[in-house]
């Protein structure tokens, strides 16, 4: 039976999808750490075992992913979309992910950005998750009848590399400046020791977060890209603008 | 002496700039009504007396603007940027507006969008306000030394017509569904009786707000366009996504 | 045998593709009503029976679609692209649609816009139709040899919701202001009674058309998005510009 | 007294603005030739005498422009916006051009595109004309009270070089394939003999028109870029799509 | 056994992918001619035999492609991605192309642009090649274990028609002005005699190259669109800017 | 008399424009250091004395700028465009800068990017420099007759903050990884001790360069944005692509 994420503060859980065992950690691990530190529940769906990468066995990759999820305070499961480096935008995959959404019943969903100039699996998973969020709402999809329809609150995209950041979407910058959040995030990235490039990857992400933080007037921040306009009840809810220089 | 907006809830006031006596009301009057109904202070800076329009004398236009501001619960002042239909992007104008920003010391600033395919005054005022928000922060501008530097929280753009909506900025949708907010907004628009097109204009705006509300799953909403990414402390602050159909 | 649309005025028929039984009606029903009222022939190809929707049986949905087509003066057929919520961009599907194009031999083709942030079936059908219009021209596609190649006059995209409107294409606004056209269109939308959201959907579309009409200086208008630049013989043919406010 | 363009077919005249004595001819001379050959009236407003160019005296440039206008069947006048290479986006200039629009009372207006990576005068004139078209409609602009307000039908932009073509506007392609139209256009370009680069410029324009024609399935075509969506009464009016390869 | 391209100057070979037997020649034949004339090796991978085109048998098309490659100094092979007009973005296809990349071990790779408003095969091949360039680098893809991973230097896109040119990528213009390069290129295009449209196609391409050359201050140039930013060691390496008019 | 930059390697000098005394150093100091270390000449034109900034007297700012230029191996002069925080896009300013271009006769010119959501002076100077590069080529501008026309090789834009980076231009990444280049650049930034934010600014720039370098597979890199497509004689000249993750 799959794990059921539970939240201390009774909010619906955060659901994050990653193509490979380290993508969520590198792309938005700081955001996860921040939410779980505040008592929220988070659940990871990792859609391959990293078996096409240059380094690391499947067993190592899975173990690393489980360890990293634990560090970040998240539960984790693995899904199969054809295997690492074999993702395709197929209805059957979107429906499978929609089934997970109906089971987990998240508020916010996180997924890879849709920018295609990337590891081919990344944007494909982003597209599948976007579609899955819609299919999860449609009552008549027969493969999904096991669980009632579910409408999420918002879908945000994360970018594992700068090239993956969409340019025509205004990001939301999440302040992750607390030293313990940065430390937890860093630890979760370093768990992926099988990956030869881990040191550079972790430096890239911390450099990005510092860079983003300098823009926002905080120590570290992570940019997320909303799939839809944000609806708020008042201007006060809309946050302050990033503009320090 | 200029009016000093005061707020029941001690938050910094909202400051809205409009090129002509009816622009703020038509472009974002519902947002103003909502903020003042919640106890916030709002101040309008109207940068002409509408003297180049086809209908209405200056005296009528000014009286209408004052009445509309009163209905919306805002204070109002008039500024001169060369006269209706004569706005130019000049440093002297941006500095003048920066001086107002330093005096009023707002949190959120509202201004016309930067889209140029509009009444020429509109985007020019948008550009001047954007520049003014920055100049207000620089300590050495000698024309501004009367008041200490001030950094605003966020600049949002409003659009008085659909053509003025920027397409590469993710809007924030402000829910203005409460019937009394819609009624107050409508009343403020109808005050501009000198304008022959008022009926259509008011219908246009209410139609837009209804259209925007249908997207957002509420009765009426108004789209504002942030000048900078929003910085939030957690995902929960980022609002829910608009996606109803 | 499939229906052969015939036109009183001997122009090639209009061919509209929709993913689900109500998409054509909601997305561009007013345009259809206008063309058939002027004596043109229109034919609908509905590519699912709406079986994944929350409400309505397949039989109801098909009956509603047939009734709506009749109200709009169009003939109708159903095509199978894998089933509601299961569309994929596959060569076999594009070739199937190209076969329909060769059989119907339309002048103008209408299809869902290509914007992907939508019901996944919508943009996929748009992509398939765009590709099908090209394949219909190539003489050597062996699956298509039953009918001679056919080059359409123009492909326009419609948008069933505001999110589906492309932002970097200049739309053509079709004036549908005549009260009888609006009435016919409204009736065709209301036929889809099985759909719980029909009332809001119809209001959304009429609100959009009113909004678009206000921009264009007419009562109601529908925006279509051309796939290719328009070729005209003189400036007089290019219509007047929309700019009322 | 200024010339009053008259049209054999009683349509409102075409009004074209150019920054320098040869811009209209190079940018859209074929369109002018086509319209006047069909009996339409055309009027040119040349906003400098080319006095900052490397070659040609002011007297030569003016004589060449007059001769070219005559070949194209257009009347011509000169306006002063501060002199060649000195254009600025000033209200006084826009109002001057609005006065010309009120006097000439055109249907279609043609102007340089708004792309700024060009001769600085070009996009500035484009901006001034766009603004002037709006100011011409406002009844209260006191400098313009001599003539009644006038609303044009449509503003199209032309591009004198490829870099000036906007990329996010769908162009309208005007078929100028008739040999006598191409010949007239070519003759009008060649009149500008003082310009050392004339030969290359003329080849550039004919190459562009041939290139554009190949796209559109005709011999030669010129792309114009509408300032606003086109409003049409039916799909049949919207022209056919350009798609030959 | 497949041909192994060899280079007089020991640089890694140029690898060009085309969907149909004439695409490489029409889209970037001048660039190929220039590189091979300078002693570089070039290899073509043609991914169909043109069997869905209106004119020409498979045998003719293959013979023409071989002859054209020979004229351009390139070796050639054929790959199967499902057949002409049947391309799909499938992992199995990307992996197949990645295998070719590992075997040929190119420096620069050329492929169709990603713009989808085209022959459906074109952008799909572009997407497959982009993905293949990444997959070729990943050490664990089991279908690719026959050859060691390979990282290319750069991927450039070519456009066989103007519609296929991306608008948000800054092109690199390759000067192909030498008369013998133009002659070789023209000869390679004319080899495709089975294609009824060859004359127009060749004229289109030479017109584009002349047009592009006029922009760049040379006789003929071809625009290529880089997939990634260019990394250079100094400003002097970045070439001069195209700006002649 | 103004300094005349001289180059050990006889190439035309590099000419960099900055709005305030520290902009060139922060925006592209590493590129300057690299070019001068290789024997090239560089000249700075600083267009204000920073008199509107919060910190530092004019005398301090000028002294700091001179010292920083010296560290970077560049000559320097000051120009007046109305004063810090007072820049406007005026013909007289563009002509003044064109006069400097004719005097210095540079190959490459560097200037602030055109993105307007910045210190108002920044993009205005970018626009003025872009225009000036064109005016410098026109033989008849009477204010410029003192020196013969001059055509530059290329104009690149630099961005002093992330917000100033254009998103629709493909950057060129300049490798500045050599430790002595980074050290020289850092020293030049630190000279601006009067600026309270200097420490953060310098960290921002080094973080950006590290971030950019990680993308490019080198230690540090700086992105420059070309004003025009690059013209090269062969693919080998176009550099390698940035793509490491």
């Amino acid at each position: 039976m799959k794990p059921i994420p539970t939240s201390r503060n009774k909010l619906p859980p955060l659901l994050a999808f990653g193509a490979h065992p380290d993508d969520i950690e590198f792309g938005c691990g700081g955001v996860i750490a921040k939410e779980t530190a505040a008592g929220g529940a988070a659940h990871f769906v990792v859609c391959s075992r990293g078996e096409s990468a240059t380094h690391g066995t499947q067993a190592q990759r899975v173990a690393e992913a489980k360890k990293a999820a634990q560090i970040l305070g998240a539960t984790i499961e693995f899904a199969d979309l054809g295997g690492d480096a074999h993702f395709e935008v197929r209805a059957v995959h979107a429906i499978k992910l929609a089934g997970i959404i109906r089971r987990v019943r998240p508020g916010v969903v996180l997924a890879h950005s849709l920018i295609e100039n990337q590891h081919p699996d990344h944007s494909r998973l982003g597209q599948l998750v976007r579609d899955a969020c819609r299919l999860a709402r449609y009552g008549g999809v027969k493969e999904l009848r096991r669980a009632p329809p579910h409408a999420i609150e918002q879908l945000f995209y994360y970018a594992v590399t700068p090239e993956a950041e969409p340019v025509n979407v205004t990001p939301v910058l999440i302040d992750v400046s607390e030293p313990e959040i940065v430390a937890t995030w860093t630890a979760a990235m370093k768990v992926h020791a099988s990956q030869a490039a881990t040191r550079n990857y972790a430096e890239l992400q911390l450099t990005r977060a510092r860079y983003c933080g300098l823009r926002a007037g905080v120590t570290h921040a992570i940019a997320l890209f909303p799939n839809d306009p944000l609806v708020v009840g008042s201007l006060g809810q809309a946050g302050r603008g990033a503009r320090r220089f």
Side-chain angles (χ1 to χ4, degrees), chain A:
Chain A
M1 217 188 82
K2 301 285 177 171
I4 302 172
T6 54
S7 151
R8 287 204 309 273
N9 53 20
K10 304 300 178 197
L11 288 174
L14 176 64
L15 177 59
F17 291 88
H20 309 106
D22 52 1
D23 286 331
I24 298 170
E25 292 86 321
F26 285 109
C28 60
V31 173
I32 307 291
K34 178 129 191 191
E35 297 297 314
T36 58
H43 184 62
F44 292 176
V45 180
V46 176
C47 298
S48 78
R49 287 156 202 270
E51 64 270 20
S52 293
T54 307
H55 302 285
T57 65
Q58 290 194 34
Q60 282 175 304
R61 305 298 304 277
V62 167
E64 289 168 355
K66 287 180 173 171
K67 180 71 184 155
Q70 188 183 31
I71 289 172
L72 293 171
T75 50
I76 185 170
E77 70 181 278
F78 289 81
D80 182 1
L81 301 179
D84 184 4
H86 294 72
F87 287 16
E88 294 182 349
V89 180
R90 306 297 300 268
V92 67
H93 294 332
I95 289 169
K96 177 182 287 189
L97 300 181
I100 295 174
I101 291 168
R102 285 205 183 173
R103 173 163 45 82
V104 176
R105 309 189 84 70
V108 169
V109 172
L110 297 173
H112 286 275
S113 95
L114 303 172
I115 301 300
E116 298 193 340
N117 193 10
Q118 272 295 308
H119 191 305
D121 292 344
H122 290 185
S123 70
R124 281 181 199 143
L125 181 54
Q127 293 174 62
L128 289 168
V129 172
R130 180 195 58 204
D131 293 352
C133 291
R134 307 213 91 203
L135 296 178
R137 285 169 38 197
Y138 301 148
V141 184
K142 64 176 183 301
E143 298 91 330
L144 295 174
R145 284 187 185 151
R146 224 168 336 166
H150 177 72
I152 68 164
E153 295 282 313
Q154 177 64 291
L155 168 61
F156 286 102
Y157 299 109
Y158 63 83
V160 291
T161 61
E163 289 86 358
E165 296 178 5
V167 296
N168 290 332
V169 175
T170 308
V172 172
L173 308 185
I174 313 289
D175 179 359
V176 295
S177 298
E178 296 87 341
E180 62 277 15
I181 298 297
V182 173
T184 301
W185 179 25
T186 305
M189 291 192 285
K190 292 203 169 154
V191 156
H192 293 279
S194 73
Q195 301 306 292
T198 293
R199 191 169 311 164
N200 271 353
Y201 250 132
E203 188 200 343
L204 178 76
Q205 304 307 344
L206 293 169
T207 298
R208 284 175 81 198
R210 177 66 186 127
Y211 184 46
C212 190
L214 282 162
R215 289 175 64 178
V218 299
T219 307
H220 288 87
I222 290 176
L224 296 178
F225 301 87
N227 189 51
D228 290 292
L230 304 175
V231 181
V232 297
S234 73
L235 284 172
Q237 277 177 260
R240 68 172 175 74
R243 172 143 302 256
R244 294 303 111 183
F245 291 102

